[in-house]
Amino acid sequence: MATRALLAVISASPNRCFISPSRIKIQSLTSSSSSHYYQRQSGKIHRIARSYSSDSDSSVLQPPDVSRLAQTARISLTPDEVEECETKIRRVIDWFGQLQQVDVNSVEPAIRAEMDGGHLREDAPETFENRDSIRASIPSFEDAYLKVPKILNKE
Amino acid sequence: MLSTLQPPRSLSLLPLRRFRNSKTIVSAASSTTSVISPPQSQILTSRRSLLSGETTAVEIAKSYLSRIRLTEPQLKCFLHVSENVLKDAQVTDQRIAKGEELGPLAGVLIGVKDNICTQGMPSTAASRILEHYRPPFDATAVKKIKELGGIVVGKTNMDEFGMGSTTEASAFQVTANPWDLSRVPGGSSGGSAAAVAARQCMVSLGSDTGGSVRQPASFCGVVGLKPTYGRVSRFGLMAYASSLDVIGCFGSTVADAGMLLHAISGYDRFDSTSSKQDVPEFQSQFLSMDHFESKPLNGVKVGIIRETLEDGVDSGVRSATQEAASHLEALGCVLTEVSLPSFSLGLPAYYVIASSESSSNLSRYDGVRYGNQVVAEELNKLYECSRGEGFGGEVKMRILMGTYALSAGYYDAYYKRAQQVRTLIRKDFKAALEQNDILISPAAPSAAYKIGEKKDDPLAMYAGDIMTVNVNLAGLPAMVLPCGLVEGGPSGLPVGLQMIGAAFDEEKLLKVGHIFEQTLKGSSFVPPLLANVP
């Protein structure tokens, strides 16, 4: 598909500003392969390493552990879902790895687009009139409380 | 009396009043030639009919509701159609009869994407976790629409929580493209785009985080307008990625999209990221063709983004874009090629930022205060099961990706790095827009794909966003308007031209877009589906 080619070509073409010319990362988007690093040496291109994502100087980041992530995010997954998710997520995280090659030395991170400053309003409570409508959405409540089951401390 | 258009902010009425005389933006259809006449603003056409007594708001509403009834079984644009449409239309008619002042959106039928809160009407973000949820309040954009006389027709289908580019990730139904029922309308605001294309409503609201208004506009052959970040309040828009989300507008003409945008823009104390910048009178840009000079865009500097016309873009899209560029030149524009060196980094940076922010934003959906709850004996189990069963596959995947990217030890490598790339992208755009009035590119690398084509391959799906995500990272305004047809479907498939402006310069986009649209010869962007529908 044209879009696949677009992504592959864009990833492969040396970014003139940022990517060191001696190390070109070729991204393949077919399901059977992951990314490889190639190095130019006396005019020839040698395959040097396979990695999920790594910088030349930082430690290799651990690949995602989907079960653990699901626990952190409080989402239950069936074993089939874990397997399916794992394949897809690893490919995407792998693809994120190309950001490691960008020279971001002394570049300020941008939290969001430039805007004319956060306009905060006074920290004064205002009564919301339509409380019945809020209450109607609550799955389970008793008197003035939202009702939830107990918490068990996990070992 | 009946003649006044009175927006609550007391702005000058003159530009609009002018449109009701001979100097209307609605060009009279030429009766002497077979040339397709330029598209007419549905807002202004219906308004004229109402004020002249030619028709009533109830009659107009009935005709749109009938079109919904006829086309919905095939299209499935709406998750919910309001039961109050005729009642609201009656209120408009009563106002007209009493000679009361009419808001600029009086009698205008508007679809609202289902991630925008509408009081008392289901708002589900197309997710099972919010099935049956009825918000206790209106989003600010919806409140403004109602204050100005607009009628909310219903809630449109979308990819769940805005995560997707085809509307196939809705938990409830798949929307079909009115140009070819076997194809997607685009996403995530596919329902809103298709509903306008199929004339089920006059205009509609969508949301755009990475292209979710612009890409479906291109796929459905309508105008999609993404404002500057901060131009429109996000209060009541269910957050996906808070630093990227905006509410955007669909219309069948640039003027309609622009008028809707004007109605919903402005500072809102409930959204601290909304801007206090003045909202100009966009309407003054929508002159009738009769008043165009011979080179109406003389001297306007347009930059074509080189990286958007390289390998990987369908040849049909490339030619349509190049023809659009020639059309702009004929109108007097000065075209140059610009390069944005950071362009290709936008896609991974966007997905890191969007999935990270969404993992945080979607933590509120826990089955406790609203939405579907799975009963459990222990609290964490309640959270896990409610979310596990309530969220669809793509949503779960993005939350997990975001959780990973934000984990201790990974934040610098992913999220912070993506933020730094955002700075680089902003700088590139700023430099290019200092040399040019607007930038142009295709809206998407291809026309609409077949339903099911991209569903299993996330990266192939993400690749289609390459033309649009950088604009969200930079927070700039952009508009997509139909510029040509490519092969496919019963009568060809529309493709859109994307125009990008400097921050808060929607006015310029609307001016250029309106003139481009009104002078474009050769294509009528009405889907063949409507040929047999009254």
Side-chain angles (χ1 to χ4, degrees), chain B residues 92-327:
Chain B
T92 309
D93 286 332
Q94 281 158 10
R95 286 214 179 106
I96 296 175
K98 287 188 203 160
E100 283 174 19
E101 280 171 8
L102 290 182
L105 294 180
V108 174
L109 298 158
I110 305 173
V112 175
K113 188 176 180 182
D114 209 27
N115 61 352
I116 298 173
C117 288
T118 41
Q119 184 178 353
M121 229 191 271
S123 304
T124 65
S127 177
R128 291 233 177 268
I129 208 166
L130 284 180
E131 202 173 2
H132 311 306
Y133 174 63
R134 287 178 193 250
F137 66 100
D138 278 327
T140 298
V142 172
K143 189 159 161 278
K144 287 185 177 212
I145 280 172
K146 288 181 178 177
E147 278 169 0
L148 299 180
I151 298 172
V152 175
V153 165
K155 307 305 293 299
T156 56
N157 197 23
M158 51 182 285
D159 285 300
E160 194 180 349
F161 285 111
M163 300 184 191
S165 313
T166 59
T167 308
E168 292 169 298
S170 164
F172 303 116
Q173 62 203 39
V174 175
T175 301
N177 190 317
W179 288 80
D180 178 343
L181 300 175
S182 68
R183 291 178 192 261
V184 300
S188 58
S189 313
S192 283
V196 169
R199 306 299 190 263
Q200 294 179 334
C201 54
M202 294 183 196
V203 288
S204 63
L205 291 182
S207 69
D208 191 313
T209 304
S212 292
V213 161
R214 292 163 286 150
Q215 182 250 44
S218 179
F219 281 15
C220 291
V222 295
V223 176
L225 178 52
K226 175 210 172 290
T228 313
Y229 181 87
R231 179 59 99 188
V232 177
S233 168
R234 288 183 298 114
F235 182 72
L237 169 67
M238 297 181 197
Y240 159 19
S242 309
S243 73
L244 301 166
D245 291 343
V246 298
I247 292 180
C249 305
F250 289 100
S252 53
T253 60
V254 171
D256 281 343
M259 283 186 270
L260 181 59
L261 178 65
H262 186 266
I264 62 174
S265 295
Y267 172 67
D268 178 20
R269 56 188 278 269
F270 290 129
D271 176 3
S272 72
T273 62
S274 75
S275 169
K276 288 191 168 174
Q277 290 256 4
D278 282 336
V279 184
E281 277 288 351
F282 299 146
Q283 293 91 312
S284 59
Q285 301 304 328
F286 305 138
L287 297 178
S288 154
M289 249 182 90
D290 312 330
H291 294 85
F292 291 174
E293 293 158 8
S294 63
K295 294 234 178 227
L297 294 177
N298 199 24
V300 172
K301 290 179 283 182
V302 174
I304 310 187
I305 303 173
R306 178 196 304 156
E307 288 82 3
T308 63
L309 291 173
E310 287 170 347
D311 285 343
V313 180
D314 280 3
S315 55
V317 170
R318 212 178 303 146
S319 347
T321 309
Q322 281 157 348
E323 275 168 33
S326 306
H327 181 58

Side-chain angles (χ1 to χ4, degrees), chain B residues 349-389:
Chain B
Y350 165 80
Y351 274 100
V352 168
I353 293 173
S355 49
S356 300
E357 293 183 8
S358 74
S359 72
S360 175
N361 278 325
L362 268 65
S363 60
R364 72 193 67 187
Y365 303 108
D366 56 10
V368 174
R369 288 157 298 160
Y370 35 67
N372 276 340
Q373 182 188 94
V374 172
V375 173
E377 288 190 353
E378 192 266 330
L379 184 60
N380 282 311
K381 261 270 155 314
L382 183 147
Y383 293 153
E384 285 165 5
C385 295
S386 300
R387 289 158 66 80
E389 287 183 35

